[in-house]
Tab-separated table of all heavy atoms in Angstrom:
chain	number	residue	atom	x	y	z
A	25	SER	N	0.842	-1.214	0.005
A	25	SER	CA	-0.026	0.037	0.014
A	25	SER	C	0.821	1.269	0.022
A	25	SER	O	0.222	2.361	-0.175
A	25	SER	CB	-0.933	0.064	1.169
A	25	SER	OG	-0.183	-0.023	2.429
A	26	PHE	N	2.150	1.168	0.172
A	26	PHE	CA	2.986	2.278	0.213
A	26	PHE	C	3.269	2.864	-1.248
A	26	PHE	O	3.174	2.105	-2.239
A	26	PHE	CB	4.489	1.774	0.676
A	26	PHE	CG	5.570	2.877	0.528
A	26	PHE	CD1	5.609	3.844	1.473
A	26	PHE	CD2	6.370	2.760	-0.548
A	26	PHE	CE1	6.684	4.889	1.266
A	26	PHE	CE2	7.406	3.623	-0.705
A	26	PHE	CZ	7.548	4.781	0.229
A	27	SER	N	3.290	4.248	-1.266
A	27	SER	CA	3.704	4.826	-2.548
A	27	SER	C	4.513	6.102	-2.330
A	27	SER	O	4.533	6.691	-1.336
A	27	SER	CB	2.366	5.171	-3.352
A	27	SER	OG	1.545	6.147	-2.666
A	28	MET	N	5.270	6.353	-3.479
A	28	MET	CA	6.221	7.480	-3.382
A	28	MET	C	6.406	8.080	-4.719
A	28	MET	O	6.324	7.455	-5.742
A	28	MET	CB	7.549	6.951	-2.948
A	28	MET	CG	8.768	7.888	-2.960
A	28	MET	SD	10.366	7.065	-2.587
A	28	MET	CE	10.216	7.121	-0.852
A	29	PHE	N	6.721	9.400	-4.728
A	29	PHE	CA	7.090	10.122	-5.929
A	29	PHE	C	8.616	10.447	-5.715
A	29	PHE	O	8.858	11.348	-4.872
A	29	PHE	CB	6.287	11.402	-6.263
A	29	PHE	CG	4.869	11.187	-6.586
A	29	PHE	CD1	3.989	12.175	-6.482
A	29	PHE	CD2	4.415	9.946	-7.081
A	29	PHE	CE1	2.645	12.039	-6.897
A	29	PHE	CE2	3.103	9.700	-7.458
A	29	PHE	CZ	2.190	10.782	-7.419
A	30	PRO	N	9.530	9.803	-6.412
A	30	PRO	CA	11.002	10.149	-6.230
A	30	PRO	C	11.212	11.514	-6.879
A	30	PRO	O	10.342	12.055	-7.607
A	30	PRO	CB	11.735	9.059	-7.044
A	30	PRO	CG	10.740	7.963	-7.173
A	30	PRO	CD	9.409	8.626	-7.274
A	31	PRO	N	12.326	12.141	-6.614
A	31	PRO	CA	13.441	11.636	-5.941
A	31	PRO	C	13.336	11.583	-4.452
A	31	PRO	O	12.464	12.267	-3.876
A	31	PRO	CB	14.592	12.571	-6.329
A	31	PRO	CG	13.957	13.921	-6.522
A	31	PRO	CD	12.647	13.560	-7.156
A	32	PHE	N	14.157	10.721	-3.851
A	32	PHE	CA	14.177	10.517	-2.383
A	32	PHE	C	15.653	10.408	-2.000
A	32	PHE	O	16.388	9.771	-2.663
A	32	PHE	CB	13.417	9.211	-2.034
A	32	PHE	CG	13.480	8.855	-0.583
A	32	PHE	CD1	12.756	9.563	0.334
A	32	PHE	CD2	14.355	7.816	-0.292
A	32	PHE	CE1	12.929	9.165	1.653
A	32	PHE	CE2	14.392	7.404	1.153
A	32	PHE	CZ	13.609	8.063	2.026
A	33	TYR	N	15.994	10.959	-0.779
A	33	TYR	CA	17.301	10.941	-0.392
A	33	TYR	C	17.394	10.476	1.064
A	33	TYR	O	16.482	10.834	1.870
A	33	TYR	CB	17.961	12.293	-0.425
A	33	TYR	CG	17.809	12.945	-1.846
A	33	TYR	CD1	16.699	13.760	-2.093
A	33	TYR	CD2	18.817	12.626	-2.808
A	33	TYR	CE1	16.605	14.285	-3.323
A	33	TYR	CE2	18.607	13.113	-4.125
A	33	TYR	CZ	17.573	13.942	-4.423
A	33	TYR	OH	17.382	14.507	-5.573
A	34	THR	N	18.366	9.725	1.429
A	34	THR	CA	18.546	9.196	2.877
A	34	THR	C	20.094	9.079	3.070
A	34	THR	O	20.849	8.712	2.085
A	34	THR	CB	17.981	7.956	3.120
A	34	THR	OG1	18.038	7.569	4.452
A	34	THR	CG2	18.329	6.801	2.094
A	35	ASP	N	20.486	9.323	4.291
A	35	ASP	CA	21.927	9.149	4.717
A	35	ASP	C	22.285	7.777	5.166
A	35	ASP	O	23.428	7.467	5.339
A	35	ASP	CB	22.247	10.070	5.797
A	35	ASP	CG	22.030	11.542	5.473
A	35	ASP	OD1	21.343	11.832	4.509
A	35	ASP	OD2	22.548	12.465	6.176
A	36	CYS	N	21.198	6.944	5.404
A	36	CYS	CA	21.489	5.628	5.971
A	36	CYS	C	20.376	4.669	5.390
A	36	CYS	O	20.715	3.636	4.708
A	36	CYS	CB	21.373	5.574	7.443
A	36	CYS	SG	21.447	4.028	8.293
A	37	GLY	N	19.199	4.908	5.565
A	37	GLY	CA	18.018	4.105	5.073
A	37	GLY	C	17.564	2.977	5.905
A	37	GLY	O	16.339	2.577	5.964
A	38	MET	N	18.512	2.360	6.686
A	38	MET	CA	18.221	1.090	7.411
A	38	MET	C	17.480	1.374	8.781
A	38	MET	O	17.149	0.440	9.423
A	38	MET	CB	19.454	0.247	7.561
A	38	MET	CG	20.043	-0.073	6.182
A	38	MET	SD	21.428	-1.264	6.378
A	38	MET	CE	20.580	-2.735	6.752
A	39	ASN	N	17.306	2.566	9.107
A	39	ASN	CA	16.611	2.999	10.317
A	39	ASN	C	15.271	3.743	10.004
A	39	ASN	O	14.890	4.494	10.819
A	39	ASN	CB	17.502	3.735	11.351
A	39	ASN	CG	18.072	2.757	12.417
A	39	ASN	OD1	17.608	1.634	12.488
A	39	ASN	ND2	19.065	3.323	13.167
A	40	ILE	N	14.751	3.433	8.879
A	40	ILE	CA	13.452	3.961	8.487
A	40	ILE	C	12.377	2.845	8.657
A	40	ILE	O	12.565	1.709	8.122
A	40	ILE	CB	13.437	4.469	7.024
A	40	ILE	CG1	14.457	5.576	6.863
A	40	ILE	CG2	12.023	4.944	6.697
A	40	ILE	CD1	14.592	5.963	5.343
A	41	PHE	N	11.369	3.080	9.355
A	41	PHE	CA	10.233	2.121	9.593
A	41	PHE	C	8.989	2.706	9.051
A	41	PHE	O	8.558	3.867	9.536
A	41	PHE	CB	10.148	1.758	11.055
A	41	PHE	CG	11.354	1.178	11.586
A	41	PHE	CD1	12.423	2.070	12.046
A	41	PHE	CD2	11.553	-0.158	11.592
A	41	PHE	CE1	13.580	1.479	12.524
A	41	PHE	CE2	12.899	-0.688	11.998
A	41	PHE	CZ	13.773	0.128	12.507
A	42	ILE	N	8.298	2.070	8.108
A	42	ILE	CA	7.195	2.653	7.342
A	42	ILE	C	5.987	1.763	7.563
A	42	ILE	O	6.055	0.680	7.262
A	42	ILE	CB	7.538	2.894	5.782
A	42	ILE	CG1	8.700	3.796	5.680
A	42	ILE	CG2	6.245	3.360	5.098
A	42	ILE	CD1	9.320	3.881	4.187
A	43	GLY	N	4.880	2.446	7.988
A	43	GLY	CA	3.620	1.667	8.056
A	43	GLY	C	2.901	1.489	6.781
A	43	GLY	O	3.462	1.728	5.734
A	44	LYS	N	1.624	1.032	6.896
A	44	LYS	CA	0.858	0.845	5.702
A	44	LYS	C	0.176	2.169	5.289
A	44	LYS	O	-0.052	3.062	5.989
A	44	LYS	CB	-0.293	-0.124	5.959
A	44	LYS	CG	0.300	-1.560	6.347
A	44	LYS	CD	-0.824	-2.507	6.767
A	44	LYS	CE	-0.147	-3.880	7.176
A	44	LYS	NZ	-1.072	-4.859	7.536
A	45	ASN	N	-0.174	2.140	3.919
A	45	ASN	CA	-0.889	3.320	3.320
A	45	ASN	C	-0.180	4.706	3.523
A	45	ASN	O	-0.749	5.712	3.751
A	45	ASN	CB	-2.325	3.445	3.798
A	45	ASN	CG	-3.107	2.238	3.435
A	45	ASN	OD1	-3.211	1.854	2.295
A	45	ASN	ND2	-3.641	1.502	4.366
A	46	VAL	N	1.198	4.585	3.526
A	46	VAL	CA	2.048	5.893	3.603
A	46	VAL	C	2.365	6.343	2.189
A	46	VAL	O	2.653	5.576	1.338
A	46	VAL	CB	3.345	5.527	4.440
A	46	VAL	CG1	4.309	6.635	4.349
A	46	VAL	CG2	2.868	5.135	5.855
A	47	PHE	N	2.268	7.642	2.081
A	47	PHE	CA	2.663	8.312	0.789
A	47	PHE	C	3.786	9.314	1.212
A	47	PHE	O	3.634	10.183	2.052
A	47	PHE	CB	1.533	9.001	0.102
A	47	PHE	CG	2.008	9.894	-1.061
A	47	PHE	CD1	2.444	9.238	-2.204
A	47	PHE	CD2	1.891	11.244	-1.003
A	47	PHE	CE1	2.856	10.043	-3.236
A	47	PHE	CE2	2.438	12.017	-2.010
A	47	PHE	CZ	2.817	11.385	-3.162
A	48	ILE	N	4.862	9.221	0.366
A	48	ILE	CA	5.947	10.169	0.458
A	48	ILE	C	6.210	10.923	-0.828
A	48	ILE	O	6.366	10.257	-1.889
A	48	ILE	CB	7.380	9.424	0.928
A	48	ILE	CG1	7.116	8.744	2.255
A	48	ILE	CG2	8.488	10.455	0.918
A	48	ILE	CD1	8.329	7.883	2.654
A	49	ASN	N	5.980	12.180	-0.836
A	49	ASN	CA	6.130	13.006	-2.043
A	49	ASN	C	7.593	13.326	-2.435
A	49	ASN	O	8.485	12.889	-1.701
A	49	ASN	CB	5.395	14.243	-1.866
A	49	ASN	CG	4.684	14.717	-3.230
A	49	ASN	OD1	5.216	14.535	-4.271
A	49	ASN	ND2	3.511	15.422	-3.031
A	50	SER	N	7.790	13.896	-3.528
A	50	SER	CA	9.076	14.100	-4.106
A	50	SER	C	9.959	14.960	-3.378
A	50	SER	O	9.608	15.969	-2.714
A	50	SER	CB	8.974	14.594	-5.634
A	50	SER	OG	8.358	15.826	-5.629
A	51	GLY	N	11.269	14.635	-3.446
A	51	GLY	CA	12.316	15.468	-2.891
A	51	GLY	C	12.580	15.451	-1.467
A	51	GLY	O	13.249	16.252	-0.941
A	52	CYS	N	12.037	14.441	-0.747
A	52	CYS	CA	12.254	14.338	0.646
A	52	CYS	C	13.596	13.792	1.006
A	52	CYS	O	14.242	13.054	0.251
A	52	CYS	CB	11.196	13.458	1.276
A	52	CYS	SG	9.484	14.036	1.257
A	53	HIS	N	14.130	14.255	2.166
A	53	HIS	CA	15.414	13.795	2.680
A	53	HIS	C	15.294	13.328	4.093
A	53	HIS	O	14.835	14.076	4.995
A	53	HIS	CB	16.420	14.994	2.669
A	53	HIS	CG	17.764	14.442	3.053
A	53	HIS	ND1	18.941	14.730	2.229
A	53	HIS	CD2	18.330	13.725	4.046
A	53	HIS	CE1	20.043	14.225	2.810
A	53	HIS	NE2	19.571	13.536	3.931
A	54	PHE	N	15.543	12.062	4.279
A	54	PHE	CA	15.470	11.452	5.643
A	54	PHE	C	16.850	11.135	6.133
A	54	PHE	O	17.543	10.330	5.609
A	54	PHE	CB	14.627	10.200	5.575
A	54	PHE	CG	13.125	10.278	5.304
A	54	PHE	CD1	12.601	11.428	4.959
A	54	PHE	CD2	12.341	9.198	5.347
A	54	PHE	CE1	11.165	11.564	4.754
A	54	PHE	CE2	10.946	9.241	5.139
A	54	PHE	CZ	10.443	10.419	4.827
A	55	GLN	N	17.287	11.846	7.126
A	55	GLN	CA	18.510	11.590	7.812
A	55	GLN	C	18.140	10.649	9.025
A	55	GLN	O	17.854	11.055	10.135
A	55	GLN	CB	19.126	12.916	8.301
A	55	GLN	CG	20.468	12.728	8.942
A	55	GLN	CD	20.820	14.014	9.783
A	55	GLN	OE1	20.030	14.537	10.479
A	55	GLN	NE2	21.984	14.413	9.525
A	56	ASP	N	18.147	9.325	8.684
A	56	ASP	CA	17.433	8.443	9.632
A	56	ASP	C	18.262	7.680	10.572
A	56	ASP	O	17.880	6.738	11.214
A	56	ASP	CB	16.685	7.443	8.813
A	56	ASP	CG	17.667	6.562	7.982
A	56	ASP	OD1	18.218	7.129	6.961
A	56	ASP	OD2	17.838	5.383	8.223
A	57	GLN	N	19.570	7.990	10.752
A	57	GLN	CA	20.449	7.189	11.593
A	57	GLN	C	19.815	6.963	12.944
A	57	GLN	O	19.892	5.771	13.484
A	57	GLN	CB	21.817	7.815	11.762
A	57	GLN	CG	22.709	7.797	10.583
A	57	GLN	CD	22.482	9.059	9.665
A	57	GLN	OE1	21.513	9.719	9.786
A	57	GLN	NE2	23.443	9.280	8.835
A	58	GLY	N	19.126	7.819	13.602
A	58	GLY	CA	18.582	7.671	14.901
A	58	GLY	C	17.246	6.999	14.914
A	58	GLY	O	16.714	6.750	15.911
A	59	GLY	N	16.652	6.766	13.762
A	59	GLY	CA	15.422	6.081	13.599
A	59	GLY	C	14.212	6.941	13.231
A	59	GLY	O	13.989	7.977	13.900
A	60	ILE	N	13.587	6.682	12.190
A	60	ILE	CA	12.332	7.397	11.795
A	60	ILE	C	11.252	6.378	11.689
A	60	ILE	O	11.377	5.361	10.996
A	60	ILE	CB	12.589	8.140	10.342
A	60	ILE	CG1	13.627	9.166	10.511
A	60	ILE	CG2	11.262	8.544	9.811
A	60	ILE	CD1	13.981	9.731	9.160
A	61	TYR	N	10.161	6.639	12.381
A	61	TYR	CA	9.053	5.778	12.468
A	61	TYR	C	7.856	6.526	11.887
A	61	TYR	O	7.484	7.504	12.460
A	61	TYR	CB	8.785	5.324	13.943
A	61	TYR	CG	9.984	4.562	14.511
A	61	TYR	CD1	10.917	5.375	15.224
A	61	TYR	CD2	9.971	3.280	14.492
A	61	TYR	CE1	12.028	4.718	15.685
A	61	TYR	CE2	11.086	2.557	15.027
A	61	TYR	CZ	12.105	3.222	15.725
A	61	TYR	OH	13.157	2.651	16.197
A	62	ILE	N	7.271	5.969	10.826
A	62	ILE	CA	6.080	6.621	10.146
A	62	ILE	C	4.812	5.704	10.333
A	62	ILE	O	4.905	4.606	9.804
A	62	ILE	CB	6.401	6.878	8.708
A	62	ILE	CG1	7.642	7.751	8.628
A	62	ILE	CG2	5.195	7.570	8.003
A	62	ILE	CD1	8.149	7.924	7.161
A	63	GLY	N	3.810	6.277	10.852
A	63	GLY	CA	2.601	5.483	11.216
A	63	GLY	C	1.754	5.262	9.987
A	63	GLY	O	1.855	6.009	8.967
A	64	ASP	N	0.808	4.279	10.057
A	64	ASP	CA	-0.068	3.990	8.947
A	64	ASP	C	-0.895	5.210	8.566
A	64	ASP	O	-1.266	6.146	9.386
A	64	ASP	CB	-1.145	2.980	9.472
A	64	ASP	CG	-0.468	1.594	9.741
A	64	ASP	OD1	0.609	1.333	9.361
A	64	ASP	OD2	-1.198	0.788	10.405
A	65	GLY	N	-1.045	5.332	7.287
A	65	GLY	CA	-1.896	6.342	6.696
A	65	GLY	C	-1.302	7.799	6.645
A	65	GLY	O	-1.996	8.752	6.282
A	66	SER	N	-0.051	7.916	6.984
A	66	SER	CA	0.591	9.255	6.997
A	66	SER	C	0.995	9.718	5.594
A	66	SER	O	1.333	8.929	4.742
A	66	SER	CB	1.804	9.288	7.826
A	66	SER	OG	1.385	9.135	9.242
A	67	LEU	N	0.964	11.037	5.387
A	67	LEU	CA	1.253	11.662	4.132
A	67	LEU	C	2.447	12.703	4.431
A	67	LEU	O	2.378	13.561	5.238
A	67	LEU	CB	0.088	12.502	3.669
A	67	LEU	CG	-1.248	11.764	3.439
A	67	LEU	CD1	-2.343	12.690	3.068
A	67	LEU	CD2	-1.076	10.649	2.393
A	68	ILE	N	3.530	12.438	3.590
A	68	ILE	CA	4.763	13.304	3.715
A	68	ILE	C	4.793	14.117	2.546
A	68	ILE	O	4.929	13.630	1.437
A	68	ILE	CB	5.949	12.439	3.915
A	68	ILE	CG1	5.808	11.365	4.949
A	68	ILE	CG2	7.191	13.332	4.209
A	68	ILE	CD1	5.603	11.806	6.421
A	69	GLY	N	4.767	15.501	2.719
A	69	GLY	CA	4.711	16.366	1.444
A	69	GLY	C	6.079	16.457	0.863
A	69	GLY	O	7.161	15.960	1.380
A	70	SER	N	6.105	17.161	-0.288
A	70	SER	CA	7.314	17.280	-1.019
A	70	SER	C	8.327	18.066	-0.288
A	70	SER	O	8.065	18.954	0.542
A	70	SER	CB	7.093	17.891	-2.455
A	70	SER	OG	6.531	19.162	-2.269
């Protein structure tokens, strides 16, 4: 159920946790070393 519009940038990637029905719009940058947790149904703007 996940969807995304690239581009997408991350400094690590392995500490990102994404729920169901999440949308991430274009040009986002996740500096996730410390952990990023995104709950179900969330929308992340460009």
